[in-house]
Amino acid sequence: MNNPSDLAETSRLEAFSDGVFAIAITLLVLELHSPELEEGQRLWPALLNEWPQFAAYLTSFAILGIMWINHHSMFRQIKRTDRGLMFLNLLLLLWATLLPFPTSLFAEHLEDDSINANVAAAVYSANLTLAAIAFSLIWWYVLRNHLVEHQMTKRQMRTSLIRYSMGTVIYGAMIGVSFISAQVTLLVVFLLAVYYAFEQVRTRG
């Protein structure tokens, strides 16, 4: 149990997190480049050939956007923060800010006919899995230390933890799918982002 003197408002943590998410999303677009045209080549076909970059960008943008929305929704229920929660939040931000790298890697190798495409997809999926684990750890920590603003029964706590952990299971499964098809992996991850855009993770059953 936390000492009340060790607790602090969440506003600074939320403001810092918002800034980090904004920077991570901005970094994604820096990987989009104008195609280099050969003499006589038309721009439109060249742009179509860049579809892996645009697909990876849109998918990661959606993921980071939904991640930020869920982070905001979660912290609306958290009344106080402590040192442990700050470290767990930093862990989440670590994987959020890393996402532009596997996004670039994925886009670069998505059309490869070698194992490189599968490895890039697996690295991408692993990044998302680690971010999902961090989310689950944050929610587990705030419930364990009674940092939420509402009272929950043990059954409600278990149910909410399962809901927060579903992303971990699905993204973890995508690591395996990556070695079957990199393109299917990207499609499924994008559809998951669309799903979570309309189905907010609930915390109480």
Side-chain angles (χ1 to χ4, degrees):
M1 190 72 177
N2 286 299
N3 187 321
S5 62
D6 295 331
L7 301 177
E9 297 290 341
T10 63
S11 56
R12 288 191 64 191
L13 184 150
E14 292 180 77
F16 175 75
S17 300
D18 288 346
V20 171
F21 277 116
I23 292 171
I25 284 179
T26 302
L27 290 175
L28 288 174
V29 77
L30 297 180
E31 296 301 326
L32 297 179
H33 304 288
S34 175
E36 296 183 5
L37 301 180
E38 298 179 1
E39 186 176 354
Q41 185 179 7
R42 299 177 63 184
L43 179 59
W44 182 242
L47 285 173
L48 290 178
N49 288 334
E50 297 292 321
W51 75 264
Q53 283 71 27
F54 289 108
Y57 165 75
L58 288 174
T59 301
S60 292
F61 185 94
I63 289 169
L64 283 175
I66 298 306
M67 195 181 296
W68 171 71
I69 291 172
N70 284 336
H71 186 273
H72 174 70
S73 299
M74 181 167 59
F75 272 85
R76 285 183 62 188
Q77 303 174 72
I78 300 173
K79 58 184 178 179
R80 298 283 183 178
T81 185
D82 61 9
R83 191 175 180 85
L85 180 55
M86 290 179 183
F87 277 116
L88 287 176
N89 191 70
L90 283 175
L91 180 64
L92 172 63
L93 297 180
L94 167 66
W95 305 123
T97 54
L98 183 63
L99 189 58
F101 168 69
T103 299
S104 175
L105 192 70
F106 203 179
E108 182 180 351
H109 296 284
L110 185 58
E111 291 190 296
D112 287 3
D113 292 327
S114 66
I115 190 65
N116 292 341
N118 306 105
V119 172
V123 171
Y124 187 80
S125 299
N127 192 155
L128 299 179
T129 302
L130 292 168
I133 291 172
F135 249 116
S136 298
L137 286 174
I138 289 174
W139 189 242
W140 168 81
Y141 185 86
V142 299
L143 291 180
R144 181 176 181 272
N145 291 277
H146 308 287
L147 298 178
V148 291
E149 65 178 6
H150 47 71
Q151 295 295 322
M152 298 175 65
T153 64
K154 289 185 177 180
R155 180 178 177 276
Q156 288 175 323
M157 288 183 182
R158 286 195 298 269
T159 301
S160 68
L161 283 171
I162 290 173
R163 285 171 177 159
Y164 264 98
S165 299
M166 285 304 296
T168 304
V169 175
I170 297 172
Y171 287 129
M174 286 299 98
I175 298 175
V177 174
S178 298
F179 290 97
I180 299 174
S181 172
Q183 296 184 6
V184 168
T185 300
L186 185 64
L187 176 62
V188 172
V189 169
F190 175 76
L191 292 176
L192 282 172
V194 172
Y195 170 77
Y196 281 119
F198 295 96
E199 180 65 21
Q200 181 180 342
V201 177
R202 294 174 291 169
T203 57
R204 285 180 283 182

